[in-house]
Amino acid sequence: PHRIIDNERKIGFGVPFDDWLSSPSLKALVQRLVSSPRFRACGLWRADKLQTRLLAAQAARRGFPAWRFVVTALWLEEFGIANA
């Protein structure tokens, strides 16, 4: 409905990525992502620098938007986009 779409008072919400990253399964997922050839070849970011930041302890707590990069990398992978 337009009353929702046009509502200018909408706000986002935080994602507890730093808490999620403490789980072994998500750590393994991020490690797999940042080590993949597709991630390394992506032209959207500097892979070495981003890998260091994403694997750093408490990256999200220090204000780094880690979740955004992980979701973007997963989206690119899901849709087979390699030349971004």
Side-chain angles (χ1 to χ4, degrees):
H2 285 287
R3 65 183 170 81
I4 294 174
I5 293 172
D6 299 330
N7 184 348
E8 295 179 13
R9 294 179 27 200
K10 292 185 285 187
I11 59 172
F13 53 91
V15 177
F17 183 73
D18 50 329
D19 293 335
W20 295 348
L21 196 54
S22 65
S23 77
S25 57
L26 190 57
K27 278 184 185 179
L29 171 73
V30 172
Q31 180 63 48
R32 180 188 62 78
L33 274 175
V34 299
S35 300
S36 72
R38 178 170 281 149
F39 183 90
R40 313 281 320 146
C42 184
L44 295 175
W45 47 62
R46 287 181 251 157
D48 292 335
K49 193 171 194 171
L50 186 54
Q51 178 179 10
T52 300
R53 294 292 302 269
L54 288 173
L55 296 176
Q58 300 181 3
R61 278 204 176 125
R62 293 191 307 247
F64 182 68
W67 184 244
R68 293 176 188 173
F69 288 103
V70 170
V71 170
T72 301
L74 287 170
W75 187 87
L76 293 170
E77 183 178 274
E78 177 68 25
F79 292 99
I81 299 169
N83 61 348

